[in-house]
Amino acid sequence: MEGTFLNNMENDPSEQMRKLKESIEMIEELFDNAYHGMVLVNKEGRIVKWNYEKLLGIKEEDVLDKHVQDVIENTRLHIVARTGEKELGEIQKIQGHDMVTSRVPIIKEGKIIGAAGTVMFKDVKELKSLTMKMETLMSTVHKYRGEIKKFYEAKYSFDHIITKDRHMMYLKEIARRAAESNSTILIQGESGTGKELFAHAVHNASLRKYGSFVSINCAAIPKELLEAELFGYEGGAFTGAKKEGKLGKFELAKGGTILLDEIGDMPLEMQAKLLRVLESREFERVGGTHPIELDVRVIAATHEKLEEAIYKGAFRQDLYYRLNVVRIDIPPLRERKEDIALQTAYILESLANELKIAPKKISDEALDILSAHDWPGNTRELRNILERALNIVQGEVIQWEHLPEYLKKYKKMTGEVAEESLLLKDMVAKAEIEGIQKALRACGGNRTLAAKKLGIHRTAIYKKMEAYGIDLAIWDDCKNK
Ligand SMILES: Nc1ncnc2c1ncn2[C@@H]1O[C@H](COP(=O)(O)OP(=O)(O)O)[C@@H](O)[C@H]1O
Ligand SMILES: [Mg+2]
């Protein structure tokens, strides 16, 4: 049961929300059915309404206008009709059973006109078994809630952002301060520079940390589905929709934070909708009829320079201003070379922990190679390379041989600069590698666009990347994120 739950959980958290709702509905139903009838008396204690036939085997016509004391043992309903003081959940012995009853006065225009009695449980034992059922249900509800929270949890804090670069430290400080407010944050940076990391850290440092952290990649979701993903939909809102409807990310993030990743790829119509939502602080589900209050902090991230997208007409300027309240522009790793050694040490340590292996070091020679590379995939690329190296290294130290082919070209350039090849073919190769990486970077890893920029055919870029060992995985990884 637990295993199945966890599996489903990973596939479809909204399925778990549905289960949660079902549990609550069950509790409600239990309560509804717990009432076993009702009797109404006037202020003299005479019966005016009776539906205890099933419970006590006495018909209404036989008791109407009789005094309640003559019909029900141990009743106090006539007293409540006089004092006006309600008695809830009292145990009353009727026909040999300890029944759980409630008595409330009926008041009209400030005057007591009678009283109503109900039997909530035919026997205290019934109440005990219901209590037990409820406890089981409540603990299940609790468990589900915990699992859902875990799924939508921000894992990282500011301590996980490793840097000794002054500008990065300044950005961390800005983000830390922004975390305390509810302001929208726009994070810009190349793939793998830690945009998501920053978003997690902000959430965890904010008052919203007990709420969910929900992330959505605007580039990965087809245009037609994006609105329903963001705002949810009512049952039967469109063909193919689940009949019970679906919660949107904005609702899932209620009380927490939403990360709109790759916002630069959001279609223009959605941009307009998002702007309206951010301005009115409310939204509607697709097919919905009532507005829902927006109770989330919005963090937007993009690898693109939105200013350029605005210039090209692909991004709305008004939305840009609305998002750009606090701005974090993360510099690429190649502009903070001193972070490479620091991050390498940190990543090696955390990978060793994760993979449960003994800690490994890296040789100076290998580190020099890493420092010479220009890191188009930034820290994500560094992490991939180190993970790969850990998988092949035999001893305790990662050497330059354990680095991928495409980095080995830096070996000659480091320490032995004088020996740098002056062969024309080597110089051409070097220029080509740099050019291809630059183009890939500008296009966020999209090879077709990069080829276009370079003025070569799509198949040519594939061939050259393979020949030079330019890592496809780095770019694939960025896009799958
Ligand atoms: N400054 C940093 N310190 C430590 N790890 C980092 C840093 N920047 C990025 N990373 C790591 O690099 C990987 C990519 O980061 P991520 O936040 O997903 O980047 P982005 O969203 O910008 O593509 C993650 O494993 C992340 O933990
Ligand atoms: Mg990302």
Side-chain angles (χ1 to χ4, degrees):
M1 159 83 193
E2 210 168 293
T4 329
F5 167 70
L6 284 173
N7 292 343
N8 287 346
M9 188 66 229
E10 262 149 35
N11 294 339
D12 186 2
S14 63
E15 173 68 12
Q16 299 314 317
M17 279 292 190
R18 191 184 61 73
K19 286 203 174 148
L20 197 70
K21 224 175 107 204
E22 228 172 64
S23 304
I24 293 165
E25 278 166 5
M26 260 168 82
I27 297 173
E28 279 170 357
E29 201 177 280
L30 275 169
F31 261 117
D32 287 347
N33 290 337
Y35 289 93
H36 289 288
M38 181 178 253
V39 56
L40 294 184
V41 298
N42 61 18
K43 70 175 189 305
E44 285 90 39
R46 294 192 176 277
I47 296 171
V48 292
K49 181 88 196 133
W50 175 270
N51 72 352
Y52 274 151
E53 183 179 336
K54 231 165 95 194
L55 180 73
L56 303 179
I58 305 170
K59 288 197 161 81
E60 186 173 40
E61 64 237 42
D62 297 334
V63 295
L64 280 184
D65 210 34
K66 283 193 179 158
H67 197 276
V68 67
Q69 265 186 310
D70 297 334
V71 182
I72 306 175
E73 318 156 54
N74 303 313
T75 185
R76 290 175 47 82
L77 204 54
H78 56 295
I79 300 174
V80 173
R82 208 171 54 226
T83 61
E85 278 170 31
K86 63 179 170 214
E87 301 177 349
L88 299 177
E90 301 281 327
I91 292 176
Q92 182 180 346
K93 202 167 204 88
I94 308 174
Q95 296 182 352
H97 292 276
D98 286 327
M99 300 198 182
V100 182
T101 60
S102 278
R103 305 168 197 114
V104 289
I106 302 167
I107 296 169
K108 196 177 168 197
E109 288 159 6
K111 282 203 187 105
I112 306 168
I113 58 162
T118 53
V119 168
M120 295 157 81
F121 300 98
K122 278 187 285 189
D123 207 297
V124 177
K125 281 186 233 135
E126 200 185 7
L127 175 62
K128 281 188 188 137
S129 102
L130 178 66
T131 313
M132 268 163 66
K133 267 190 211 153
M134 264 191 61
E135 273 168 9
T136 324
L137 278 170
M138 287 318 276
S139 82
T140 318
V141 166
H142 248 87
K143 198 181 86 192
Y144 281 3
R145 218 181 256 154
E147 292 295 340
I148 287 169
K149 186 164 181 325
K150 229 185 281 163
F151 189 85
Y152 288 118
E153 204 171 49
K155 297 189 197 72
Y156 307 106
S157 70
F158 283 112
D159 293 339
H160 292 94
I161 304 177
I162 305 303
T163 186
K164 55 178 177 178
D165 179 81
R166 282 187 57 146
H167 185 63
M168 278 290 278
M169 291 199 253
Y170 166 74
L171 292 179
K172 270 172 81 169
E173 191 48 40
I174 301 256
R176 204 174 267 141
R177 274 186 227 165
E180 290 165 19
S181 75
N182 220 2
S183 305
T184 304
I185 302 177
L186 177 61
I187 307 175
Q188 199 269 325
E190 287 179 11
S191 253
T193 46
K195 298 185 290 295
E196 218 160 315
L197 199 56
F198 262 92
H200 277 228
V202 166
H203 173 76
N204 273 335
S206 75
L207 288 171
R208 297 179 161 270
K209 69 177 163 194
Y210 301 109
S212 300
F213 176 87
V214 177
S215 150
I216 177 165
N217 186 338
C218 305
I221 293 168
K223 205 164 128 185
E224 314 76 58
L225 298 183
L226 191 56
E227 184 177 1
E229 276 294 319
L230 287 173
F231 304 119
Y233 58 79
E234 295 290 348
F238 48 86
T239 16
K242 284 189 193 167
K243 74 170 185 307
E244 65 277 16
K246 193 174 169 212
L247 282 179
K249 301 280 193 208
F250 273 98
E251 268 179 275
L252 283 170
K254 186 172 188 287
T257 308
I258 190 165
L259 169 63
L260 302 174
D261 209 354
E262 299 308 356
I263 187 107
D265 290 317
M266 185 179 269
L268 278 164
E269 313 104 81
M270 256 336 279
Q271 291 179 24
K273 214 157 258 175
L274 178 64
L275 177 67
R276 273 203 303 280
V277 168
L278 294 178
E279 273 172 354
S280 63
R281 302 292 302 170
E282 60 181 30
F283 61 91
E284 263 174 31
R285 292 185 184 167
V286 176
T289 47
H290 60 279
I292 300 168
E293 188 204 345
L294 184 76
D295 175 19
V296 294
R297 139 126 56 186
V298 175
I299 302 181
T302 169
H303 75 271
E304 259 176 291
K305 296 222 162 37
L306 288 185
E307 297 79 358
E308 285 172 21
I310 293 170
Y311 183 72
K312 287 188 230 148
F315 203 83
R316 289 182 70 112
Q317 190 156 26
D318 42 12
L319 178 61
Y320 168 77
Y321 287 131
R322 188 67 197 67
L323 295 172
N324 196 18
V325 180
V326 175
R327 175 69 171 261
I328 312 277
D329 272 343
I330 310 178
L333 192 54
R334 69 184 161 283
E335 284 174 20
R336 41 189 168 101
K337 291 269 182 187
E338 69 272 40
D339 273 357
I340 294 170
L342 188 71
Q343 287 192 352
T344 299
Y346 167 81
I347 293 170
L348 283 177
E349 196 185 308
S350 55
L351 281 175
N353 275 336
E354 258 172 54
L355 305 170
K356 300 196 169 47
I357 54 169
K360 313 255 160 164
K361 297 235 164 321
I362 185 159
S363 73
D364 288 347
E365 201 178 15
L367 199 56
D368 283 347
I369 290 179
L370 297 185
S371 304
H373 184 44
D374 70 350
W375 301 106
N378 295 290
T379 308
R380 181 179 294 115
E381 183 184 2
L382 178 61
R383 224 186 126 89
N384 286 353
I385 284 172
L386 293 172
E387 189 167 349
R388 200 174 323 183
L390 281 180
N391 278 311
I392 48 176
V393 64
Q394 300 278 334
E396 274 172 20
V397 183
I398 293 172
Q399 308 286 353
W400 70 269
E401 295 95 319
H402 303 124
L403 301 178
E405 252 353 271
Y406 77 98
L407 288 187
K408 290 184 182 160
K409 67 182 163 109
Y410 295 112
K411 188 176 175 313
K412 282 204 191 97
M413 293 159 56
T414 59
E416 300 165 44
V417 181
E419 278 181 33
E420 188 181 356
S421 172
L422 286 178
L423 287 174
L424 187 61
K425 81 171 171 41
D426 287 352
M427 289 196 282
V428 169
K430 194 175 153 212
E432 282 202 333
I433 290 169
E434 275 164 17
I436 290 169
Q437 287 186 333
K438 207 167 161 187
L440 281 170
R441 198 153 52 233
C443 304
N446 184 320
R447 277 156 281 199
T448 312
L449 286 180
K452 211 177 254 173
K453 267 203 167 36
L454 290 164
I456 59 176
H457 196 265
R458 221 179 98 234
T459 48
I461 194 170
Y462 279 87
K463 273 198 195 130
K464 283 185 193 294
M465 283 176 74
E466 203 186 333
Y468 293 131
I470 297 174
D471 199 354
L472 296 169
I474 297 160
W475 299 108
D476 287 341
D477 195 26
C478 301
K479 277 192 296 193
N480 292 339
K481 277 266 148 178

